[in-house]
Amino acid sequence: MLGIIIGLVLLMFLAYRGYSIIWVAPLCALVVALTGKLELLPAYKDTYMTGFVGFTKSWFPVFMLGAIFGHLMDYTGAARSIAQWLTKVFGAKRAILGVVIGCAVLTYGGISLFVVVFAMYPLAVALFREANISRKLIPGAIALGSFTFTMTAVPGTPQIQNLIPMDYFHTTPTAAPIMGTVAALFMFGLGYSYLMWREKKLFTKGDVFTEPLKKQENNEEVLVNLPNPFISVLPLLSVILTLNLLNWDIVLALISGIILSMLTNVKLYKGFTKTISAGATGSITAIINTSAAVGFGAIVRAVPGFQTLTDLVLGIKGSPLISEAVAVNILAGSTGSASGGMGIALAALGDKYYQLALETGISPQAFHRIASLASGGLDTLPHNGAVLTLLAITGMTHKESYIDIFITSLVLPVLSSIPAIIIANLGIY
């Protein structure tokens, strides 16, 4: 048990220091194996790699196709076109709301968080300039729209954090729709209210819009010659509708979005091959990072102390949904990854929670939704890769803007599990 704790703490510390989880995870797994009296070489080559390869086998097509889809939507200008149209609809008077909704639409359509950040930033700058709002709030607004309710809560989202629990609880992307909707409204409502309060507070202090010291690509130029937003949204709708209404496999749903993205922008065909290659290559790091974390979970499950850990986690008083939320949050925070933390937790405890669902009468859908919600909580600690990318793209520092990311994409997502669990305990899913 002590070895598991040491391994987790070491994993969190090294991840926080910015070291790649690709080599950090097996190193920390060997610490757990050593203290658990497993033979090190078999533990690495067999146990660790079985967990690693198992996750890669199941999810590599989704990671690769999702990345290709996002790159195509970025290359064709479709993502920016949708975002621009939405921000125009909301206007400068509702600049923050426009950025949040723009990010939400793109992420719910299956576009990766990193692509959304690149697509939304120039639009956010233009809106915040016109509304005279401090740029410090841009990261918080993008985080609220991208890292929270459309990633883990809104029923049917094609984001990986909503798909992973399906294998463990035999559910669908729309699992526990009422719980998810309530949690989504909780995060969106309180998050937007917080950002509006922060805007007024900064304005009172005289902290208003200032031009970026380092200009990105000309913001005005990237907003011209974009495709029609109503045509651009068709690939997003294709992914959402085929996944949830036609019940297609996520692989087929993403392929439909990819094909439609190319058909609606056929004049740009010369760049398709390069864009697809870039997306496929970019997906490798993401899937390997998450698989490395899952391999760590396989070692944890193999040592004798795991039974003690299981008894400790499952012994948390109250609904087993509470213990699931705690376990996933802690592991997501340790790895700095929503999918990685959930992967470790469900690889280790998923079967136990599914059995508890059958024994207690709590729907497996509830366990699915809580696992998804919890994965999007403590994952956005300061060392999270998406957080670091968001701050780098927006030109902000942790000191200037992390507090808003912390409230919108960490505190509120953690708290959103509370109303969801209360509803589940009333037998409403």
Side-chain angles (χ1 to χ4, degrees), residues 354-384:
Y354 183 66
Q355 192 60 40
L356 277 172
L358 299 179
E359 292 173 358
T360 60
I362 300 174
S363 172
Q365 292 189 45
F367 284 90
H368 171 130
R369 187 54 55 204
I370 292 302
S372 184
L373 288 172
S375 74
L378 294 182
D379 65 310
T380 45
L381 287 169
H383 59 290
N384 174 268

Side-chain angles (χ1 to χ4, degrees), residues 46-207:
D46 296 331
T47 308
Y48 179 87
M49 289 308 301
T50 296
F52 182 105
V53 172
F55 186 87
T56 303
K57 177 185 175 183
S58 297
W59 293 105
F60 177 68
V62 178
F63 275 76
M64 181 185 69
L65 293 171
I68 290 172
F69 180 53
H71 274 67
L72 282 170
M73 290 293 287
D74 185 37
Y75 163 69
T76 59
R80 225 163 236 167
S81 175
I82 297 166
Q84 182 189 31
W85 181 80
L86 286 168
T87 52
K88 280 184 177 179
V89 168
F90 288 99
K93 291 184 178 179
R94 297 182 180 87
I96 292 176
L97 182 61
V99 172
V100 172
I101 296 298
C103 291
V105 169
L106 295 178
T107 50
Y108 189 69
I111 298 179
S112 72
L113 310 181
F114 295 96
V115 173
V116 172
V117 172
F118 281 101
M120 284 303 305
Y121 175 60
L123 297 164
V125 169
L127 274 176
F128 277 48
R129 179 189 293 115
E130 189 176 346
N132 199 27
I133 299 172
S134 173
R135 285 188 302 110
K136 291 178 181 178
L137 294 179
I138 292 179
I142 292 177
L144 177 61
S146 305
F147 302 171
T148 61
F149 55 96
T150 50
M151 186 177 86
T152 64
V154 180
T157 176
Q159 294 295 333
I160 192 71
Q161 292 80 5
N162 183 48
L163 302 177
I164 291 175
M166 291 165 52
D167 279 356
Y168 297 94
F169 301 114
H170 310 288
T171 46
T172 67
T174 56
I178 297 176
M179 290 173 62
T181 301
V182 169
L185 292 173
F186 178 93
M187 285 185 267
F188 171 74
L190 292 182
Y192 180 59
S193 298
Y194 165 79
L195 289 173
M196 293 301 294
W197 172 78
R198 275 277 288 162
E199 178 197 348
K200 291 178 182 177
K201 189 175 181 181
L202 289 172
F203 185 82
T204 302
K205 291 181 177 179
D207 192 341

